Amino acid sequence: MTDTEPLLQVRNLETQFHTDEGIVRAVDGVSFDVYPGETVCIVGESGSGKTVTIESITRILQMPPGEIVGGEVIFDGIDLTTASEKEIRRIRGDRISHVFQNPQGSLNPVYTVGAQIREAIQANRDVGKKAAREQAIELLDEVGIPEAGARIDDYPHEFSGGMRQRVVIAIALAGEPDLLLADEPTTALDVTIEAQIIDLLLRLQEERDMAIVFVTHDLGVVAEIADRVVVMYASKVMEQGHVHEIFDRPAHPYTRALLDCLPGPDGVTPIEGTLPNPLDHPDGCRFAARCEYAIEPCFVGEHPSLLPADGDEDHLVSCLLYRDGHDESVIDREPRRADPFAVGDDT
Amino acid sequence: MSETGHPLLVVRNLEKHFPVQAGVFKREVGRIRAVDGISFSIEKGETFGLVGESGCGKSTAAKAIMHLIEPTGGEVIFDGKNISGMSKDERRGFRRQAQMIFQDPESSFDPRMTIGESVAEPLRVNGMTDRERRRSIVEGLLERVGLDAGDADRYPHEFSGGQKQRIGLARALSINPELLVADEPVSALDVSIQAEILSLMEDLQREFNLAILIISHNLGVIRQISDAVGVMYVGELVERGPTEDVFGDPAHPYTRALLSSIPRPDPHIERSGMELTGDVPSPSDPPPGCRFHTRCPEVIQPDGLELDQTDWRTILTLADRVYRGDIDPQTVRESVLSVAEDGEREPEDVTLSEFEGRLREDFDIQQELEPTAVDTTIHHAIEALYEERPEVAAERLQETFATPCRDSRPASTTVEGDQVAACHLLETSVEASETVPATGDD
Amino acid sequence: MSLETDTPESTGIDDIDWEEIDANAVRLDPEIFYKYVSLVLLCLLWAYDYIYRDPRLSLLDVDIPLGFTTFNLELNPGNVDYLMGLTLLAMFWWVAVPLARSPEMTKQYWREFRRNKAAVASLVFLAVILVVGLIGPLIIGRPSSDFGAMHEAPVFLGGTWEYPLGTNSRGEGIFKIVIAGMRVSMQVGLIATLIVIVLASIVGTTAAFSGGWVDEVLMRFVDLLMTFPTFFLILFLVYIYGGDLFMLIVILGITGWGGVCRLVRSEALQRTEEEYIEAAEAAGATMRYIVRRHLIPNVSNTVITAATLAIPFLILTEAVLAFLGFGDPDVWSWGRIIAEGRDDLGTAWWVATIPGIFLFATVLAFNFLGDALRDAIDPRHQIR
């Protein structure tokens, strides 16, 4: 995977919000790469900065109060943080598309879904109304809407939640993007519908060779779709690596703690303590206060930078114990197999 | 488990229908069968989980059990007494022994009351006028759920979602109830916080010998906390039984489908691929027979038919739409034209083969299905549709593709021990196992 | 009905003996007690004044010696004054006491409110108007005619300090008139608004919480009310009985609550969806408890804002009626004085202009205040 050039490079991205109480550093030096055709999952709890991270990529973030104050987002050689409004608008929707959590909110209730897909097509391509309509039907068919030809003139409220999310995905696909940024697209849906949407995304990715950045808090979804995983906590990247490494041998104590929170046959193991205050991040490692392996140096200085875990350049972890002079072997890297449904499974 | 010999809560054929009204005189034009005859019981100190997709009626069931909304039918028997027939005064006693916690930590506290006042509210409305005593109970409870006694004077907006849910537990426990009804208590919380709240609930249950009715769409949560579980689908309980049995060896195809669609936190497992098609039907117009038959991957085939289950499913989906009169031939014609990029022709000019091709493609029905008799029936039905005679189409399909799953409502069948499911496959398990492969486990 | 669970050791919750509690269920909240006591005292005073005393005689007429002089305090409150007393009591119990009881929330409101400088100035201005209007006439007395000093100019135009703002055509001092007018405007604005608030809150929240036919009946009544021709009713009554401030205030109050009621209802409808209402129901709370303890406090933002914006409208309405000659001839309404002075604008412009400025400033100040309150106590600002 590493022999091709990355499609998207996020380097030390810093995004802040100006609020009445002070400056919230929502994204604080986040870096990761996305290669063509792969799925990267950004996983984290609410308030970890995962949504702000992907909203910063195409700058769809509300600005103000948000502001990108540092770092680079390089897509196809262009730095999106400094690109002109015109350039970025050409990229948005055409080469990079968004899918949001709430399908209700991303569709305009007063236009038919056909009109909305057509609009997305015509925004990116110079085609006539009729051709656009035909493409819209094809897209609806592709995202699995039965009788697409008949349903194209329906209004969003005539679709169910899962169907609406399919429509949203169809709109996102209209520009034939290279990169799809999906922000919790299945969180509002029921499990049976969620499974349908995930399968749809995986199928589309294969057919179109499209890269996906998928933001979620659901580790089950991560395990299902991710090639690589970025674990975020308190505006920082804690760990990133291949999905198998993250789930089988998590390097960061936070990642393991998160895996242990899942309901399992022998109950759950909650993480003690609370999230740090985003207005005033503590010194040292952001997770130190809740970490069972924390040693004195963890509480001073900057948050540790990302280092290869196990000498693997593709598996990075930001934990002091992996630095030279410390002993990372104290960390228990065996997550409790937290699969509550392993019993009923015959595989 | 119960010393008194009867379960703490018995729910029998509980129904809650909402009328659909129209016009100036609020004439009833239909009914939403949100809860349509569910039965289960909870012992003292036991946890019963009610699980299902959104809109299946599980929250309505909780409210109807608590009599926050009046049930339309059935009985709720608490501690041997029938709540439904009770007077206002008698219900007061019930309210003191059954409490609720809610889904949304943001809206479950009055922003203008201190936490202390909110937690003390059940005591207050039940007539405890002694402020000092209320205060001491509240402080004890707040400490018990992991907060400070001093937090009683703070306001809800000063707390995080997880803390508010702890406070919600304190409020529910303030009058020392015997039954706690928890409606999606953790679904608004992060996983790490969910874990905290669930383990707190388990501790409190042991300590207070509480019976808990927990409602959730999250099977993992239900799995972890429940002793017994009920699976709801479109207002009905399709399966219930001990958690281990229901999740370990699900008897109803819907339970199997639900379990197999959960994303598993293990990248080595491939999902078993039993994906449900279509959406949950509306409770205002539930399908006849078994309500799951419109999506079920294991519908029983008529005698003599041995189709591949996938093909059978696609045929049934088409048949269902025809029975419901949902297919408008005119729309199909227009659809043919718009896909064929042919603006010259009128919808009337669409040929039968184009029409049939369109419908078969829409419903993923193979051309030239084997055996030929089946294919011919489908062809004739589509022809009838083409000729704008939907009744004839329905009749033809019904003749060949009649299935007990559509024709009659399945009765509850005991699978093993306390595990009960309502599925025709279980009633006729011997024949069924011959014709229908159990796709859940392959 | 007693609970038979085995009591856990370390819970801090003892078993509650509900039978005992039901037997002792006499609710006596000290605050409610004082609320009722203050209300009853006011009513008793009114009854005493109304039934046992000649209305022409003063309720209180004492000379207070102040060393160098004696100050004659004469109180002869009319019905309007008793209503004003009731309004002040309501403001004390419903605004001052809750604010004092939760100082933290008060501070937060104040922080938000303070940002709007115009509103802070308005608040100060209105407080002065209220206090001066209430106490001023008691000290300086009512304006009296002095035909030796007609159309005297204000002091800054060469007049004397006896009439600092000049006099009108009957030689009555504009200064005293303006102060008497403050009292009238405040009475109209505050009392009528109190009536509006009480009716709108009770009807609005009850309709929202009950739903069904209760909601239907109440809201259709509100529809009727909003099409009611109040102006013609007032003309009619003035024609029959003559202008009377008390009557005017009551009519403005009981016909003017429809709009606020609709606002309250829609706000309350949203509140009834909240889970804390359901929690209270699940705990066995009665409808009266829920409406009083949860719904009304939580729609109070809407009510207070609507009320603050209703006050200037009511003040203006009274002024307009007085200007047109349908007001109470016995009270010193700004509207009446403006009407009287308009013929002399060329020779004695101050007669109409000075009360006009006060009327304008008061109405403007209430509008500023209402806008700032809406921003400060909007719950969307309040949480987070």
Side-chain angles (χ1 to χ4, degrees):
Chain A
M1 201 176 287
T2 29
D3 27 82
T4 50
E5 279 294 298
L7 179 68
L8 177 80
Q9 287 173 287
V10 178
R11 287 283 166 274
N12 287 317
L13 183 69
E14 284 180 46
T15 305
Q16 300 182 341
F17 285 95
H18 300 274
T19 67
D20 291 347
E21 288 89 39
I23 292 174
V24 175
R25 300 156 77 92
V27 178
D28 198 5
V30 164
S31 305
F32 61 91
D33 292 339
V34 181
Y35 290 91
E38 72 166 344
T39 304
V40 174
C41 271
I42 303 181
V43 64
E45 296 174 78
S46 45
S48 60
K50 51 190 195 304
T51 295
V52 182
T53 302
I54 67 159
E55 288 189 349
S56 300
I57 292 174
T58 50
R59 306 208 318 239
I60 54 166
L61 190 74
Q62 280 257 321
M63 293 196 261
E67 190 191 356
I68 297 172
V69 292
E72 302 176 321
V73 175
I74 297 167
F75 178 77
D76 207 17
I78 308 166
D79 182 359
L80 299 184
T81 59
T82 55
S84 71
E85 199 52 39
K86 203 176 148 203
E87 274 178 298
I88 205 150
R89 218 174 294 137
R90 225 178 23 233
I91 287 170
R92 233 186 256 157
D94 183 14
R95 303 209 44 203
I96 305 181
S97 292
H98 271 270
V99 176
F100 299 96
Q101 171 170 357
N102 181 358
Q104 193 95 40
S106 8
L107 293 173
N108 187 335
V110 301
Y111 293 109
T112 63
V113 301
Q116 296 182 57
I117 302 173
R118 232 172 45 218
E119 189 192 328
I121 294 170
Q122 288 178 310
N124 296 303
R125 228 158 295 276
D126 189 22
V127 287
K129 201 175 161 188
K130 198 160 165 291
R133 184 188 160 88
E134 277 144 21
Q135 282 182 28
I137 294 173
E138 274 169 39
L139 274 171
L140 279 182
D141 195 49
E142 190 178 347
V143 297
I145 294 200
E147 297 157 80
R151 307 239 27 203
I152 189 160
D153 295 319
D154 285 353
Y155 287 88
H157 70 90
E158 295 171 84
F159 289 81
S160 66
M163 286 298 165
R164 265 185 232 134
Q165 195 61 294
R166 287 173 193 267
V167 172
V168 172
I169 292 172
I171 292 174
L173 294 178
E176 297 183 8
D178 301 317
L179 176 63
L180 186 72
L181 304 176
D183 186 2
E184 307 247 11
T186 59
T187 306
L189 306 173
D190 280 312
V191 269
T192 57
I193 310 296
E194 177 177 54
Q196 294 173 1
I197 298 293
I198 288 175
D199 285 355
L200 169 69
L201 283 173
L202 289 175
R203 175 169 65 79
L204 291 171
Q205 176 173 38
E206 202 160 304
E207 286 169 9
R208 294 173 167 249
D209 195 29
M210 172 175 71
I212 299 181
V213 176
F214 196 103
V215 168
T216 182
H217 67 274
D218 187 337
L219 291 161
V221 175
V222 175
E224 200 145 288
I225 68 163
D227 294 314
R228 288 191 309 118
V229 182
V230 176
V231 182
M232 281 187 75
Y233 178 79
S235 319
K236 288 276 189 191
V237 173
M238 292 285 145
E239 179 172 2
Q240 53 174 292
H242 191 269
V243 64
H244 286 223
E245 280 155 4
I246 297 289
F247 277 85
D248 295 345
R249 271 183 72 68
H252 201 286
Y254 172 66
T255 312
R256 213 211 76 207
L258 198 61
L259 287 167
D260 284 353
C261 283
L262 293 169
D266 21 294
V268 293
T269 322
I271 309 177
E272 298 294 326
T274 51
L275 274 168
N277 180 0
L279 286 164
D280 181 23
H281 283 304
D283 276 347
C285 172
R286 302 255 157 109
F287 187 59
R290 303 172 79 181
C291 179
E292 53 181 311
Y293 305 107
I295 49 175
E296 221 160 278
C298 290
F299 294 94
V300 289
E302 290 289 303
H303 183 81
S305 51
L306 286 167
L307 291 170
D310 317 322
D312 178 357
E313 286 294 333
D314 287 336
H315 187 184
L316 301 173
V317 58
S318 81
C319 176
L320 212 60
L321 293 173
Y322 289 83
R323 285 238 176 104
D324 289 337
H326 293 287
D327 181 16
E328 77 261 25
S329 64
V330 294
I331 300 174
D332 174 12
R333 291 177 60 181
E334 282 298 312
R336 196 166 46 79
R337 247 308 134 237
D339 187 353
F341 303 102
V343 188
D345 196 58
D346 292 354
T347 40
Chain B
M1 220 178 267
S2 161
E3 307 105 57
T4 38
H6 53 72
L8 182 67
L9 178 78
V10 179
V11 176
R12 216 174 276 153
N13 292 322
L14 185 72
E15 274 179 18
K16 177 66 199 177
H17 296 177
F18 295 100
V20 182
Q21 292 165 333
V24 191
F25 299 105
K26 302 274 156 88
R27 203 162 37 87
E28 187 179 319
V29 292
R31 308 194 112 194
I32 296 172
R33 300 163 172 273
V35 178
D36 207 10
I38 63 169
S39 306
F40 61 89
S41 63
I42 309 179
E43 303 282 344
K44 267 184 193 162
E46 187 193 41
T47 304
F48 187 87
L50 209 50
V51 68
E53 294 177 273
S54 51
C56 72
K58 53 192 192 301
S59 286
T60 311
K63 284 179 195 164
I65 290 167
M66 291 295 286
H67 283 73
L68 288 177
I69 49 177
E70 214 49 42
T72 0
E75 295 176 319
V76 177
I77 296 156
F78 183 82
D79 210 6
K81 298 178 202 75
N82 190 341
I83 309 300
S84 310
M86 276 187 178
S87 72
K88 240 183 162 179
D89 276 351
E90 288 172 306
R91 271 206 194 149
R92 220 181 147 90
F94 168 65
R95 292 252 182 272
R96 285 169 181 169
Q97 295 179 65
Q99 282 293 295
M100 272 191 99
I101 59 171
F102 300 90
Q103 170 173 9
D104 182 7
E106 297 309 319
S107 94
S108 45
F109 293 96
D110 188 333
R112 292 181 181 275
M113 277 189 177
T114 62
I115 287 309
E117 287 175 292
S118 284
V119 173
E121 183 167 74
L123 294 170
R124 194 187 153 122
V125 299
N126 281 293
M128 186 185 285
T129 47
D130 184 348
R131 249 175 215 240
E132 307 295 307
R133 189 166 172 204
R134 287 203 310 243
R135 177 81 188 190
S136 80
I137 293 178
V138 166
E139 289 183 350
L141 273 168
L142 285 179
E143 280 175 359
R144 179 61 200 85
V145 298
L147 292 146
D148 289 332
D151 287 338
D153 295 322
R154 295 168 65 194
Y155 284 88
H157 66 90
E158 300 173 53
F159 296 89
S160 69
Q163 285 172 322
K164 278 186 211 162
Q165 218 53 319
R166 288 167 184 272
I167 300 165
L169 276 167
R171 170 171 61 190
L173 296 180
S174 65
I175 48 175
N176 202 357
E178 296 193 47
L179 172 69
L180 179 67
V181 177
D183 187 359
E184 300 271 11
V186 297
S187 55
L189 307 173
D190 272 314
V191 244
S192 67
I193 317 287
Q194 283 189 1
E196 285 176 22
I197 299 296
L198 290 177
S199 66
L200 176 64
M201 279 175 73
E202 287 180 315
D203 292 348
L204 293 171
Q205 170 168 46
R206 266 194 298 279
E207 206 171 298
F208 293 80
N209 194 27
L210 274 175
I212 297 181
L213 170 61
I214 181 171
I215 284 142
S216 181
H217 68 278
N218 186 331
L219 287 100
V221 168
I222 295 282
R223 169 77 190 234
Q224 193 211 322
I225 199 170
S226 307
D227 302 310
V229 59
V231 182
M232 275 188 83
Y233 186 76
V234 199
E236 289 179 344
L237 211 52
V238 294
E239 179 165 3
R240 65 164 204 271
T243 309
E244 287 308 307
D245 298 347
V246 172
F247 284 174
D249 187 15
H252 197 282
Y254 178 63
T255 317
R256 284 199 281 277
L258 260 188
L259 285 170
S260 72
S261 39
I262 305 170
R264 311 278 277 277
D266 185 344
H268 303 287
I269 300 178
E270 283 282 308
R271 220 171 340 107
S272 44
M274 183 164 130
E275 189 181 295
L276 289 185
T277 51
D279 287 315
V280 183
S282 158
S284 59
D285 186 17
C290 170
R291 290 190 180 169
F292 187 52
H293 87 265
T294 54
R295 296 171 82 199
C296 183
E298 300 174 37
V299 182
I300 299 169
Q301 304 194 18
D303 288 339
L305 219 54
E306 279 178 42
L307 288 167
D308 177 64
Q309 196 64 25
T310 332
D311 291 335
W312 172 228
R313 179 67 262 166
T314 59
I315 294 171
L316 266 183
T317 307
L318 170 72
D320 265 314
R321 297 287 304 275
V322 174
Y323 298 151
R324 295 173 88 88
D326 262 0
I327 298 180
D328 177 13
Q330 190 63 21
T331 322
V332 178
R333 285 164 197 266
E334 281 164 16
S335 162
V336 168
L337 292 184
S338 80
V339 173
E341 305 180 20
D342 195 343
E344 308 293 298
R345 290 155 65 199
E346 291 298 311
E348 288 69 40
D349 303 335
V350 171
T351 62
L352 172 60
S353 71
E354 280 174 319
F355 187 91
E356 181 165 356
R358 179 76 250 155
L359 269 183
R360 283 190 186 245
E361 203 182 314
D362 278 346
F363 287 92
D364 285 327
I365 298 172
Q366 288 178 34
Q367 306 284 350
E368 311 291 327
L369 254 176
E370 294 292 335
T372 353
V374 170
D375 201 67
T376 317
T377 311
I378 295 172
H379 174 74
H380 285 315
I382 293 178
E383 192 175 10
L385 275 180
Y386 179 77
E387 290 161 3
E388 312 262 343
R389 291 183 301 161
E391 342 56 65
V392 180
E395 222 169 88
R396 284 200 174 271
L397 291 168
Q398 178 67 31
E399 270 166 24
T400 320
F401 302 123
T403 161
C405 295
R406 182 174 190 276
D407 295 340
S408 65
R409 277 175 87 155
S412 287
T413 320
T414 303
V415 183
E416 210 185 318
D418 288 335
Q419 190 179 0
V420 175
C423 177
H424 287 298
L425 281 175
L426 300 167
E427 293 168 8
T428 55
S429 52
V430 187
E431 307 157 47
S433 62
E434 285 166 6
T435 50
V436 183
T439 41
D441 297 301
D442 53 25
Chain C
M1 191 173 292
S2 68
L3 302 185
E4 37 165 29
T5 39
D6 22 4
T7 320
E9 302 85 14
S10 60
T11 55
I13 310 171
D14 22 16
D15 259 326
I16 302 160
D17 184 353
W18 289 116
E19 270 170 30
E20 181 200 315
I21 282 184
D22 280 345
N24 299 337
V26 187
R27 288 145 205 258
L28 201 68
D29 196 333
E31 194 187 306
I32 295 175
F33 176 73
Y34 289 125
K35 248 183 224 178
Y36 282 117
V37 166
S38 59
L39 181 67
V40 168
L41 280 180
L42 188 74
C43 291
L44 283 178
L45 191 67
W46 171 80
Y48 168 75
D49 192 12
Y50 186 76
I51 299 166
Y52 292 108
R53 293 189 66 103
D54 187 324
R56 277 161 304 181
L57 283 180
S58 301
L59 181 69
L60 191 73
D61 190 354
V62 286
D63 287 333
I64 303 170
L66 286 174
F68 55 94
T69 177
T70 46
F71 173 67
N72 175 260
L73 181 69
E74 189 185 337
L75 280 179
N76 185 17
N79 285 338
V80 174
D81 300 296
Y82 280 107
L83 273 184
M84 190 64 188
L86 188 68
T87 309
L88 293 175
L89 264 187
M91 281 169 70
F92 176 76
W93 287 116
W94 291 345
V95 180
V97 170
L99 283 179
R101 207 174 30 193
S102 48
E104 215 165 295
M105 217 171 242
T106 312
K107 259 183 235 151
Q108 199 182 340
Y109 288 155
W110 176 242
R111 264 200 304 276
E112 288 285 327
F113 182 78
R114 210 175 40 189
R115 290 184 188 180
N116 192 335
K117 297 284 177 268
V120 175
S122 302
L123 185 67
V124 172
F125 174 74
L126 291 172
V128 169
I129 296 268
L130 178 65
V131 173
V132 171
L134 286 178
I135 301 174
L138 296 178
I139 299 171
I140 60 169
R142 291 159 68 89
S144 51
S145 306
D146 176 0
F147 290 101
M150 298 186 315
H151 288 319
E152 203 164 291
V155 69
F156 50 86
L157 289 178
T160 62
W161 276 105
E162 194 188 353
Y163 299 110
L165 295 178
T167 59
N168 67 3
S169 57
R170 288 190 299 277
E172 293 159 336
I174 302 292
F175 181 69
K176 286 186 177 180
I177 289 177
V178 164
I179 287 179
M182 289 178 185
R183 185 191 183 92
V184 174
S185 284
M186 284 293 160
Q187 283 174 333
V188 171
L190 297 180
I191 298 172
T193 303
L194 177 76
I195 299 173
V196 165
I197 288 180
V198 170
L199 292 174
S201 306
I202 293 175
V203 174
T205 49
T206 308
F209 186 69
S210 309
W213 65 267
V214 176
D215 186 23
E216 198 74 17
V217 169
L218 289 176
M219 292 326 283
R220 292 301 79 78
F221 177 73
V222 167
D223 291 346
L224 278 180
L225 190 73
M226 291 196 60
T227 56
F228 188 80
T230 308
F231 185 68
F232 291 103
L233 177 71
I234 291 172
L235 291 196
F236 181 67
L237 290 176
V238 168
Y239 177 71
I240 297 176
Y241 300 107
D244 177 33
L245 187 63
F246 178 80
M247 177 195 82
L248 187 70
I249 290 173
V250 170
I251 290 176
L252 285 178
I254 60 173
T255 57
W257 53 275
V260 181
C261 183
R262 281 186 185 166
L263 282 178
V264 168
R265 176 178 168 273
S266 67
E267 179 77 18
L269 265 185
Q270 289 176 26
R271 297 287 153 261
T272 49
E273 300 288 308
E274 307 264 357
E275 286 173 349
Y276 58 81
I277 302 279
E278 226 171 302
E281 279 184 86
T286 57
M287 170 169 143
R288 210 175 126 238
Y289 174 92
I290 291 172
V291 167
R292 264 190 40 212
R293 294 283 309 179
H294 290 300
L295 276 183
I296 290 187
N298 279 291
V299 298
S300 62
N301 292 344
T302 308
V303 171
I304 289 175
T305 312
T308 321
L309 296 172
I311 293 173
F313 171 76
L314 290 163
I315 291 178
L316 270 183
T317 308
E318 187 275 336
V320 165
L321 287 167
F323 183 88
L324 294 175
F326 303 121
D328 190 333
D330 298 332
V331 301
W332 299 92
S333 165
W334 287 338
R336 181 163 71 87
I337 306 305
I338 294 170
E340 278 178 14
R342 95 199 121 146
D343 294 336
D344 305 326
L345 269 178
T347 51
W349 56 266
W350 53 86
V351 176
T353 310
I354 292 175
I357 290 172
F358 273 93
L359 179 63
F360 172 73
T362 307
V363 167
L364 195 68
F366 270 116
N367 276 312
F368 278 146
L369 189 69
D371 282 344
L373 278 179
R374 181 169 49 203
D375 292 342
I377 63 183
D378 190 320
R380 272 159 301 198
H381 291 254
Q382 177 196 328
I383 294 169
R384 152 188 356 256

